[in-house]
Amino acid sequence: MPFLLQSLILFIWLRHDLHIRRTSLGLPLLRHTSPHSVSSVCTMTTDSSLAVSPKERICELCRIFYNLGWASGTGGGISVKEGETIYMAPSGVQKERMKPEDIFVLNSDGSVREPPKSPALKLSQCAPLFMAAYEIRGAGAVMHSHSLNAVMATVIDEKATEFKVTCLEMMKGIAGHEFYDEMVVPIVENTAYECDLADSLREAITKYPKTQAVLVRRHGVYVWGKDWVQAKTQAECYDYLFEAAIKLRQMGVDPTKKPPVLGADYEVQMKKKQAAEALTNGGQANGRADNGEPSTKKVKA
């Protein structure tokens, strides 16, 4: 077979394979643009007419999560908030096949404003748990995953009420965390019905102000963020950290302890931290708050 014909067949096959992969992930299809026209590409990606609605975004995210194994068997759920309006995936449906008309629209208090077209669809049992993150943390999106990594992370120690790791790079993808910090995720016990988890999840969110997630033993994880982008990013980072902790333990490495050799960078960072703490404590001792304003705290003579 001539070389040019072979190359043409290979090109067509690769493009077809890419088309299938992007479709399965819910990504937009590639369109041909002139290689000499950069503006045409910019216009295509920034045109406001191509903006994705919250309903479409939830369907897209559900397909992505399904392909990651986080929402198989109708499991998992996603909710997005815009202003005072909350959008939420229904309960008990195949998440990878959802359509925008299947999404519930709620008021800020959780009451249904606009039900889906199909009367057979029911509001997600996750609704009270999603509302907890909205009300306590002011979240802009909440995601519930049935990831196997999240499930396994809760049974590393069946008696543990916390999942902990330190010195893993992906910790930096979680708001308020740096490489040398200790990352703690509370673990609550599962219940027969998802809605019955609301009280324990609210308690965990309140008790752990730094966490961006709550694990549910032998069930999965709830993750939130200021918007859907941060929520998705943090869900991916948490899942990576859950898997890393499991594999490190299989190697005999304790992920909750700092490695024996941390290098000079650790000492530099600790000195910076100590200097900042000393400055803060010194400012308060001199009757100044952290922002330089007079402190309202009384200082002993």
Side-chain angles (χ1 to χ4, degrees):
M1 185 181 293
F3 174 76
L4 289 177
L5 181 58
Q6 288 180 327
S7 300
L8 179 60
I9 293 172
L10 178 61
F11 172 78
I12 294 172
W13 181 84
L14 288 172
R15 188 170 179 82
H16 178 68
D17 182 66
L18 180 60
H19 173 91
I20 293 174
R21 289 176 182 271
R22 293 182 69 86
T23 301
S24 67
L25 290 171
L27 299 174
L29 301 180
L30 295 175
R31 292 179 173 84
H32 175 74
T33 57
S34 170
H36 305 293
S37 177
V38 177
S39 61
S40 64
V41 177
C42 295
T43 302
M44 183 175 65
T45 57
T46 60
D47 187 354
S48 59
S49 66
L50 298 178
V52 178
S53 72
K55 290 183 177 182
E56 292 172 323
R57 182 69 67 197
I58 289 176
C59 293
E60 175 195 17
L61 292 171
C62 281
R63 286 193 293 270
I64 292 172
F65 280 17
Y66 173 81
N67 281 288
L68 290 171
W70 295 359
S72 57
T74 76
I78 297 175
S79 178
V80 174
K81 185 176 183 182
E82 283 202 355
E84 296 300 309
T85 303
I86 296 171
Y87 302 85
M88 197 174 295
S91 180
V93 300
Q94 294 180 324
K95 298 299 189 293
E96 76 280 12
R97 301 186 66 188
M98 277 196 326
K99 299 177 181 178
E101 56 263 32
D102 298 332
I103 305 299
F104 279 84
V105 181
L106 313 181
N107 296 307
S108 59
D109 63 357
S111 59
V112 177
R113 180 194 302 174
E114 178 189 319
K117 281 188 176 181
S118 172
L121 294 175
K122 297 179 180 180
L123 185 63
S124 174
Q125 286 198 19
C126 302
L129 296 98
F130 289 156
M131 292 304 300
Y134 287 137
E135 293 169 3
I136 300 174
R137 290 297 184 83
V142 193
M143 301 178 180
H144 175 41
S145 161
H146 282 188
S147 159
L148 186 58
N149 291 328
V151 173
M152 297 301 290
T154 67
V155 296
I156 292 175
D157 179 355
E158 290 273 23
K159 296 180 180 179
T161 58
E162 299 173 335
F163 168 88
K164 297 180 180 180
V165 292
T166 188
C167 293
L168 290 170
E169 181 68 13
M170 289 292 273
M171 287 170 48
K172 290 156 64 176
I174 308 299
H177 291 80
E178 296 296 338
F179 179 77
Y180 296 115
D181 292 343
E182 178 183 60
M183 191 193 79
V184 181
V185 182
I187 303 173
V188 300
E189 298 301 327
N190 196 27
T191 56
Y193 298 98
E194 193 129 20
C195 56
D196 293 335
L197 286 167
D199 289 342
S200 57
L201 187 130
R202 281 180 173 272
E203 182 181 348
I205 292 175
T206 304
K207 185 178 179 181
Y208 293 84
K210 196 174 180 180
T211 190
Q212 304 292 308
V214 174
L215 282 160
V216 182
R217 181 111 52 208
R218 294 173 174 264
H219 181 150
V221 64
Y222 283 83
V223 185
W224 55 87
K226 62 183 180 181
D227 52 30
W228 73 266
V229 176
Q230 187 185 54
K232 176 178 179 291
T233 299
Q234 295 191 147
E236 293 166 348
C237 290
Y238 272 121
D239 197 75
Y240 175 99
L241 293 165
F242 297 151
E243 183 176 14
I246 295 165
K247 291 186 175 180
L248 284 169
R249 287 189 178 277
Q250 290 173 344
M251 295 170 60
V253 178
D254 187 346
T256 69
K257 299 185 182 300
K258 289 181 173 59
V261 179
L262 288 169
D265 179 65
Y266 177 71
E267 296 181 7
V268 171
Q269 297 304 322
M270 290 304 101
K271 285 180 180 179
K272 287 183 179 179
K273 185 176 182 180
Q274 291 168 3
E277 290 175 351
L279 184 62
T280 300
N281 295 334
Q284 291 175 344
N286 290 323
R288 294 278 172 181
D290 292 348
N291 58 3
E293 295 296 325
S295 175
T296 56
K297 294 183 179 180
K298 294 182 179 180
V299 180
K300 291 183 179 181

